[in-house]
Amino acid sequence: MERFFTYDNRLGIKIPALEREWTFYSEKVQQDILLTWESIRGQIPDKIQSLEKSINQKQAALEDETNFIRSCELNSEIGELASIINDLWIWYRTNEEISKKFTDRQKNESHEKLMRLVFLIQQIAVLVKALCIICHLFGHSIIHPSANHHTHNWQTIINFSLRSEYS
């Protein structure tokens, strides 16, 4: 079965890598592929839960972070983890019609909510990256004068952005 799957380093799982159209495989091979995929697929929720814990830890670190550059790095890391979660959910749903193992309605609803949350986190990460770029382009002009070059007060930046936007 190894030849039908390839390890994805970013996702941390093996994903299907079929060389031919599904219908060209014998029924026995199809069943073996599905059995292997179900085993892999069953690990995805645990991987997602682990990534969510990492996101929560990074968000907690971000709340206390005063170094602007490190804040941007944390936001970028959070965005990448959210992207991985999104991709894992896509793979988790692959062949859902064929294997009805995880089609319970409540799970689907919670997956939909999580997908919306992941999308929102990705959008926030993009906005923060844009804010980081804008702050970098304007240099010290939008940073509170009492902050030194390497530490920036997030509240000051946000307040300045809001004042500029609504002025």
Side-chain angles (χ1 to χ4, degrees), residues 32-48:
D32 289 345
I33 291 171
L34 285 174
L35 183 62
T36 302
W37 175 242
E38 279 306 314
S39 175
I40 295 167
R41 189 173 172 254
Q43 299 168 14
I44 291 176
D46 292 335
K47 289 203 167 288
I48 290 172

Side-chain angles (χ1 to χ4, degrees), residues 17 26-27 31 60 94-95 110 126 132 135 140 147-148 153 157 162:
S26 71
E27 189 174 319
Q31 287 175 349
T94 300
N95 297 328
S110 67
V126 168
C132 292
C135 289
H140 295 285
N148 69 34
N153 181 326
I157 293 169
L162 292 174

